Amino acid sequence: MPIALTPPPMPEVKNLGKANAQPTKRKIICFSDFDGTIFKQDTGHVLFDTHGCGTERREALDEQIKTGERSFRDVSEEMWGSLNVPFEDGFKVMERTLEIDPDFQRFHQYCLENNIPFNVISAGLKPVLRKVLDKWLGEEASSRIDIVANDAHISEDGSEWKPIWRHDTELGHDKARSITEARREAEQECAGEDAVPLIVFIGDGVSDLPAAREADVLFARRGLRLEEYCRQHGIPYVPFDTFADIQREIERIRREDERRTGGKGRPAFFNPRANLWRRMSSQTAVPRYVVMSPTKEEQTIAWSEAINSLKATTDAAQAAQTQSQSPVSAAAAAQEHAVPHHVQSAA
C-alpha cells in the first residue's frame, strides 16, 4: 500500500510569530524562499533532472509557465508526477548536489537569540524541504523553522509523487496570502502594545514577487531575477550576497527603528504600499500599473488570475474612490503611494 511521507502537521501560519528567546521591542518576522535563496540549487530541479522528466523537458515546461501557456500548478504537477524514485533514494541525489548559503546557519542562530521567528515559505513540497533542513541543520535546529509549503503524497516505491496544494489557485501556494495571514495574526498579538510588527521577506526569483510585495523590508539575492525585476520596476529592495549581509542589515534596521520609534506604532521601515494595494483588491493586492500593462511574468506568475479579473474594474474603483475623497485626503493618498517603504530604492 502507498504511504504518505508527509511529516506530522506543522503549525499553521497563525502560529508563526512565536519563538523562545528574549523578546525584542519591535516584533520582527522573517519569511524566506528556499530554493535559490537558502540553498543555491532548486530541490525540485535536482530531482526532475535526475529521476524525472530530465533537464530538457523540465526547461521546456518552465518556458510554458513563462509564456502563460500553462499555469504554474499544472506544470508542477507534471514535473512531480514524472518522478519514479523512492523518497530516500531521491534524497541521496540532493545530498550530493545541494549547497547551503555559507552564512545561513549563523543567521538562523541570530534570529533565535533575538526572538525573530524565521519561516520558510515555498512553492515546493514540505517533506522534501524538511528532510533537507534536518540534514544540513540538524533536527533540533530544523524544528525551530516553520515551513509554509505544499504537502505531498509519495508512494513507498516512489512511483507516485503528488503535491497536496496549500491553496486552490493556479499557483498552488499563494505566498502573499500566507504572509498577509501571518501579518494579521502578529498585529492582533501586538494590539495591546501599540506596535505594528515588521515583516521581512528574502527571495531570489520573480515567483517570489507576490510575497515580496507584502513585506516591509525586501531582500533580493544579488544578480538574480528578483533583483533585476525590482530595478526595472522601481521596487525598493536590499541586495544580498549571503545571509551575513541580511543579518547586518536587520540589526541596523532594529537599532534605527528603536531610535526613531522606540518600538511603538508603525515601524520606521513600514511599507505603506502593501496596504494601499490591499485596499485596491483585498484578495490579490495587484497594483494598478500592473493591471493596466502586465508583463508575461506578471500575468503567469505574480498575479495570474487577478490580471483579467481586475483589469475591467480597477479604473472604476479608482475613479469612485477619488471622487469620494476631499482634495486634501486625495493628496494624502497620493503622497502615501509615493513613499518608499524601506532603506534602499531600486535606483
Side-chain angles (χ1 to χ4, degrees):
M1 294 290 293
I3 61 172
L5 294 183
T6 306
M10 298 300 294
E12 291 299 315
V13 177
K14 65 180 181 180
N15 295 322
L16 296 181
K18 298 178 180 179
N20 297 316
Q22 293 300 312
T24 58
K25 292 187 178 181
R26 167 79 61 189
K27 190 178 190 69
I28 300 174
I29 305 175
C30 277
F31 290 90
S32 177
D33 178 49
F34 193 87
D35 297 310
T37 302
I38 297 176
F39 284 82
K40 296 180 181 180
Q41 297 80 18
D42 185 296
T43 51
H45 289 180
V46 171
L47 289 171
F48 306 146
D49 294 353
T50 308
H51 291 293
C53 57
T55 304
E56 184 176 350
R57 177 59 179 165
R58 190 256 303 165
E59 291 177 347
L61 290 171
D62 281 336
E63 189 63 24
Q64 290 178 3
I65 297 175
K66 293 177 182 178
T67 61
E69 180 180 345
R70 296 172 65 186
S71 71
F72 176 86
R73 175 171 172 167
D74 185 33
V75 167
S76 294
E77 286 183 342
E78 179 176 333
M79 288 181 177
W80 289 110
S82 73
L83 293 176
N84 187 8
V85 59
F87 185 87
E88 292 298 331
D89 291 345
F91 183 71
K92 290 177 183 177
V93 177
M94 290 187 283
E95 281 188 284
R96 297 194 300 266
T97 306
L98 296 179
E99 300 174 81
I100 193 171
D101 182 287
D103 296 306
F104 174 74
Q105 289 169 281
R106 187 179 298 108
F107 173 76
H108 181 228
Q109 184 61 37
Y110 165 82
C111 290
L112 293 175
E113 292 172 354
N114 290 278
N115 194 33
I116 300 174
F118 181 88
N119 312 281
V120 165
I121 184 164
S122 172
L125 303 187
K126 188 183 297 184
V128 173
L129 307 185
R130 178 60 68 193
K131 181 75 171 179
V132 170
L133 288 178
D134 285 350
K135 172 63 178 178
W136 266 264
L137 303 184
E139 293 185 7
E140 195 282 329
S142 170
S143 69
R144 307 293 292 275
I145 298 176
D146 285 305
I147 299 177
V148 188
N150 304 299
D151 281 306
H153 170 81
I154 305 169
S155 64
E156 187 173 14
D157 65 359
S159 62
E160 182 182 19
W161 290 63
K162 183 176 178 58
I164 301 174
W165 300 107
R166 187 174 181 88
H167 298 129
D168 186 19
T169 68
E170 289 191 351
L171 295 174
H173 177 199
D174 184 343
K175 295 182 182 181
R177 184 191 302 182
S178 293
I179 289 187
T180 300
E181 290 170 356
R183 179 193 286 275
R184 185 180 302 115
E185 180 67 20
E187 287 175 349
Q188 292 174 353
E189 292 177 3
C190 297
E193 305 172 11
D194 186 30
V196 176
L198 181 79
I199 305 297
V200 173
F201 182 79
I202 306 162
D204 71 297
V206 174
S207 63
D208 295 321
L209 273 172
R213 292 184 181 278
E214 298 299 320
D216 297 307
V217 179
L218 168 61
F219 290 93
R221 187 172 282 281
R222 195 187 305 274
L224 297 183
R225 188 66 185 95
L226 181 58
E227 181 187 38
E228 179 185 351
Y229 187 94
C230 289
R231 293 180 66 86
Q232 289 173 348
H233 293 82
I235 299 172
Y237 73 102
V238 181
F240 76 96
D241 293 306
T242 76
F243 274 78
D245 301 326
I246 299 172
Q247 180 174 329
R248 284 191 293 270
E249 186 63 17
I250 288 180
E251 182 60 25
R252 188 193 71 78
I253 288 171
R254 287 179 59 221
R255 293 178 179 178
E256 181 67 10
D257 179 75
E258 175 63 21
R259 183 184 70 81
R260 291 167 57 180
T261 72
K264 300 298 183 181
R266 290 182 174 183
F269 304 98
F270 181 73
N271 177 7
R273 293 191 293 183
N275 290 329
L276 178 66
W277 294 341
R278 280 193 289 272
R279 287 198 297 270
M280 293 170 64
S281 170
S282 60
Q283 294 182 336
T284 54
V286 183
R288 183 176 183 277
Y289 79 87
V290 170
V291 173
M292 300 312 298
S293 57
T295 66
K296 284 289 186 182
E297 288 169 318
E298 289 162 339
Q299 287 175 310
T300 59
I301 297 177
W303 290 279
S304 60
E305 299 168 348
I307 296 295
N308 291 333
S309 63
L310 286 182
K311 188 172 179 62
T313 61
T314 302
D315 280 346
Q318 287 291 93
Q321 182 180 8
T322 302
Q323 186 175 6
S324 65
Q325 289 177 324
S326 68
V328 174
S329 61
Q335 182 177 11
E336 178 189 31
H337 183 73
V339 175
H341 67 263
H342 57 77
V343 295
Q344 178 170 331
S345 73

